Amino acid sequence: MNQKIRNFCIIAHIDHGKSTLSDRIIELTNGIEKREMKEQILDSLEIERERGITIKLNAIQLHYKDFFFNLIDTPGHIDFSYEVNRSLAACEGALLIVDATQGVQAQTLSNVFMAQENNLTVIPIINKVDLPNSDIENTKKQITELCKIDASNALCISAKTGKNVDLLLEEIVQKIPPPWGKEEKPLKCLIFDSYFNKHKGVICLVRIFQGVMKLGMKIKMLHTKNEYYVSELGVQILKNINKNELVCGEVGWVCMNIKKATDVNIGDTIVQANDNTTTPLPGYKKILPMIFSGIYPVDNADFNSLKDAMEKISLTDASLTYEFESSLALGNGVRCGFLGLLHLDVIKERIFREYNIDVILTIPSVRYKIFLTNGKQIEIDNPSKYPEVTTIKEIQEPYVKLIIVSPEEYIGKIIEITKELCGQFIEMNLITGKRMEIIFHIPLSEIIQSYFDKIKSISKGYATMDYEIIEYKKSELVKVDILLNKEKIDAFSFITNRIFAQTKGREIVEKIKKFVPRQQFECPIQAVIGGKIIARETIKAFRKDVLAKCYGGDVTRQMKLLQAQKAGKKKLKAIGKVNVSSDVFINILKQN
């Protein structure tokens, strides 16, 4: 049977037409009735439809002639490259989609290199050829030169109109090889994704590499050593279809009555329970989180619900890491690691939409390496764990290789803004026509907040970027604390390069001044490094007009009243405390 199976995924830069092409393939293979068809049919999350992006990979089995297609739709945004990596491990081939109006972009190259590392057959496809500004010949040249793939005979299609998509189905049959495994060998199965069903527990998406998985079979996971019985299995044809067995080469789902999300590891290998000889399949490349932020419920009574939500979301998103923490200002919460800011934003939205929990996020940070004077080395991702300055010998922060592809007229401004953020220019290459590729080495902490938005604004949306961590470098980093009436507010502490400390500190104290209500006494807001104040704002005190009752008389009477008021204010300032509601923290952190 496996000679009739074709396992493939679709890879591309964001908005090059992956989901639209998936829709056309499903239509042509009669994977769904026309009355049920809708755009982005494989995007199951509401947030995916709203933003027009793919966040979660999705697998579906389709029938074409007498062949079985297992199609895996993958994300295109840089933050979700981990999803692409997992998809590639379950396939023999990949369809590379390139927009004829935009050409090869930064993430296009990243996805191609991942596919080549996995030894996949890559079929180049040029999409959007129906648009008047499409440049087919230049696009073919870019694919050949940059991706090292012969694109002279690349299929030119329009996923929107369906032009030549029927020819693509034949190319999939002819060019993508069938699965290599054999049914008669012992079971060897890879878990490449999973999700949680409230009635059945954990559902694992699997690829059978060899052997057969049957109902009632006792299986074992090689990583956790846990054993289970297969209670249900089947394939996805937009909805789950139950089967009695999954054979070598098939992609499907399996239910084993697993109730705890943490019992499943994405990338684990499933074998028969009595098999002690089969070795694990090559694991996925371990993707480490790049940025870290605390997530706190607005109402702290929702903390237990947040714990359950994080456990279930992490099951469907293996790149999400988290641990529990607490803050004096915000209460109990979780410290999470994300692949990027879009990843962070999506997780926040999912918590609210899927579990109805309103949350607030702390200022994003990265992971730093700190070498202490006693010879030890520690790693921190939370400013609250920053050691005493006197114990620090050296601090290192992660640097990334930043690749920006942009029309040449915007290059000057892009270089200027990147150098302002400590970016080190490496090289610049002409791709084709008037498009350039610029490469920088830059601290990750400087691009995780608004850098991408600035690049998009400068280039009017035409620039794209990709990045990867290359090394840790020594930097002049400091911890900036924020004091409100001389009390430290841990939720606002941050680590930054010394040259940016005063600017960032001033920005935060100005924001705090806008939201903290006035008190009966003067209240200073200070940004400090150690004992040195680098920025300050003052919230003026409420003041009663004590002279209102004076209708004449000697001036000494007025002075006496003013002096009494001044002494009272001074006493209040010495003993008074500023009670700040959680709404104030929420408003400031949302703005940040």
Side-chain angles (χ1 to χ4, degrees), residues 450-499:
S450 59
Y451 178 78
F452 188 51
D453 293 335
K454 291 177 182 176
I455 294 298
K456 282 290 183 182
S457 177
I458 288 170
S459 66
K460 299 178 182 178
Y462 287 105
T464 61
M465 62 175 267
D466 188 19
Y467 58 86
E468 60 175 313
I469 290 184
I470 49 173
E471 61 180 335
Y472 273 75
K473 287 186 180 180
K474 180 181 177 181
S475 297
E476 289 295 320
L477 299 172
V478 292
K479 178 191 176 187
V480 180
D481 288 312
I482 304 299
L483 306 183
L484 182 58
N485 197 31
K486 299 183 180 179
E487 288 192 19
K488 187 186 297 184
I489 309 297
D490 59 341
F492 296 138
S493 298
F494 63 94
I495 300 170
T496 186
N497 193 297
R498 187 178 292 276
I499 62 176

Side-chain angles (χ1 to χ4, degrees), residues 503-515:
T503 303
K504 292 181 178 179
R506 180 160 297 282
E507 287 177 359
I508 290 186
V509 297
E510 287 174 355
K511 288 176 185 175
I512 294 174
K513 183 180 179 181
K514 290 180 184 177
F515 291 103

Side-chain angles (χ1 to χ4, degrees), residues 296-310:
Y296 292 85
V298 172
D299 182 356
N300 223 250
D302 291 332
F303 176 64
N304 288 329
S305 300
L306 178 62
K307 286 170 63 177
D308 294 338
M310 293 304 300

